[in-house]
Amino acid sequence: MSFYYLNKKMGLALNDILVRVCSNNKGFLKDDLAITWINYKSENNKVFKGFGFGINNKKMFYPASIVKLVYGLATFHWIKKGRLLLTEEISDAVSRMLFNSSNNATSFLVDLLTGTTSGPCIEGEVWESWKYQRRIINDWLKDFNWEELYGINCCQKTWDDEPFGREKEFYGYENKNRNEMTTDSSARVLEEIMIHIDFQKNDLNLRKFLKRNLNKDALKEDPMNQIEGFLGEGLPESTNFWSKAGLMSEVRHDAAWWINNKSLQTLLVVFGNGEKYFRDTSLFPAIAEEVYEYNKKFF
């Protein structure tokens, strides 16, 4: 059973939205675009099971930095289970990974989570043990028994340039072992962070690290703000907004959560696969603006 109820009216609306926002650029193909859109009714600080629709929402794509949501959630659980001790350094690393999208912080955390390190190629039992350890996060994800996580791959670090040594070899022939996620799996992880974990004072508060300011003056001071060219740009500046973007030469992705009003919240994940999405900065804001206006009109 899906973690959200299927809403066919939202599906029709989503298709209409894509027709409008893509009409001026025939290069945007539905096969290259994946979306999960979920609305949540809320009352007295309780958020109920969502209802929504997806397009290519079960199709695997390279997630870029969206995978950092998984690594953040894993770090939270490792600490809760006593596998890691929460320190200022770990808290700072998770903050930099999620808020600033630091690849160096991500590398540090993946090493801690899996007991592995980067380096030159290795062989034999040592190599087999290293690969087994690096897959620990995938094994942990299976314990949730969420159908949205079936088949995804979250075992690789993220890079400013490219991997070398054992990291490159671990990617496999033609990068067959690179990270893969769907918009549904990304949405499921973000939902878990946003409404299913009761973060306490001394917890690693992942929600805090995803909170973003949509004020345009503030954005000018941060060229890597993960708002401009992404979903947040299409929303009113006063919107309470949380997100994690992913961007590299082949993709543009975003996973976002916002509050429409006291009784309605929205989760929207959009994956754009291909160089054309990497270069375009108008499509994602346009989709978010259309979704926001639809919700304002019909909910």
Side-chain angles (χ1 to χ4, degrees):
M1 178 181 294
S2 175
F3 69 105
Y4 60 92
Y5 299 114
L6 189 66
N7 186 300
K8 293 183 178 180
K9 288 184 178 179
M10 289 174 62
L12 292 173
L14 183 56
N15 276 287
D16 288 343
I17 287 171
L18 290 184
V19 169
R20 286 195 295 274
V21 300
C22 295
S23 61
N24 294 326
N25 195 328
K26 303 303 181 183
F28 293 119
L29 304 174
K30 283 190 177 180
D31 287 346
D32 298 328
L33 195 66
I35 300 178
T36 298
W37 170 22
I38 310 172
N39 283 336
Y40 298 82
K41 290 295 183 76
S42 55
E43 183 178 347
N44 298 324
N45 294 322
K46 180 178 181 181
V47 182
F48 301 97
K49 182 173 178 177
F51 47 97
F53 199 84
I55 293 175
N56 292 328
N57 49 309
K58 301 182 187 303
K59 187 174 181 178
M60 294 289 181
F61 290 99
Y62 176 67
S65 288
I66 297 292
V67 75
K68 294 169 184 176
L69 291 171
V70 174
Y71 298 156
L73 185 62
T75 305
F76 173 83
H77 279 274
W78 261 238
I79 291 168
K80 280 295 186 181
K81 293 176 180 179
R83 296 177 181 175
L84 286 177
L85 179 66
L86 179 57
T87 63
E88 288 187 14
E89 184 178 42
I90 288 178
S91 180
D92 181 55
V94 176
S95 174
R96 293 190 188 196
M97 176 178 71
L98 295 180
F99 189 79
N100 305 113
S101 207
S102 166
N103 291 330
N104 289 338
T106 305
S107 176
F108 169 72
L109 290 165
V110 169
D111 285 346
L112 289 181
L113 291 166
T114 65
T116 61
T117 58
S118 302
C121 294
I122 49 181
E123 299 178 342
E125 292 184 7
V126 177
W127 175 228
E128 295 304 316
S129 177
W130 189 96
K131 290 187 289 184
Y132 173 82
Q133 287 293 120
R134 183 56 73 82
R135 296 188 182 105
I136 279 178
I137 296 174
N138 282 336
D139 293 338
W140 163 73
L141 289 172
K142 294 175 184 176
D143 294 339
F144 284 99
N145 200 30
W146 296 340
E147 65 178 57
E148 296 80 21
L149 304 186
Y150 177 78
I152 70 171
N153 189 36
C154 302
C155 65
Q156 303 286 1
K157 295 181 177 183
T158 54
W159 306 95
D160 293 324
D161 187 2
E162 61 178 294
F164 291 88
R166 68 190 68 167
E167 298 285 356
K168 178 63 175 177
E169 187 172 352
F170 189 52
Y171 263 64
Y173 179 68
E174 294 184 342
N175 292 334
K176 296 275 188 190
N177 192 36
R178 73 178 187 171
N179 290 335
E180 285 193 319
M181 294 181 70
T182 65
T183 55
D184 264 10
S185 62
S186 306
R188 185 67 182 88
V189 172
L190 184 55
E191 182 194 87
E192 178 74 5
I193 293 170
M194 292 304 303
I195 63 175
H196 295 306
I197 298 178
D198 182 18
F199 292 106
Q200 300 300 307
K201 181 179 179 180
N202 295 322
D203 283 342
L204 184 71
N205 193 328
L206 305 176
R207 272 202 301 269
K208 179 177 69 175
F209 302 144
L210 295 170
K211 186 73 167 67
R212 303 194 186 276
N213 185 352
L214 301 185
N215 180 270
K216 288 182 171 55
D217 290 332
L219 295 177
K220 291 177 182 177
E221 300 177 5
D222 180 13
M224 303 293 290
N225 55 61
Q226 300 185 67
I227 299 299
E228 294 174 310
F230 294 95
L231 298 173
E233 186 182 346
L235 301 175
E237 291 184 36
S238 60
T239 305
N240 279 318
F241 184 79
W242 297 257
S243 74
K244 180 72 201 78
L247 183 69
M248 51 87 70
S249 61
E250 297 176 1
V251 305
R252 177 180 296 269
H253 303 327
D254 205 4
W257 184 289
W258 70 81
I259 297 176
N260 299 277
N261 51 55
K262 290 182 179 180
S263 62
L264 186 71
Q265 302 185 39
T266 293
L267 192 167
L268 181 63
V269 180
V270 182
F271 280 8
N273 189 55
E275 184 181 351
K276 56 185 175 292
Y277 293 99
F278 162 70
R279 296 190 178 281
D280 182 87
T281 59
S282 62
L283 180 66
F284 278 49
I287 291 174
E289 182 179 6
E290 290 271 3
V291 167
Y292 180 86
E293 291 299 324
Y294 177 88
N295 285 337
K296 189 167 67 172
K297 183 177 181 180
F298 292 102
F299 293 96

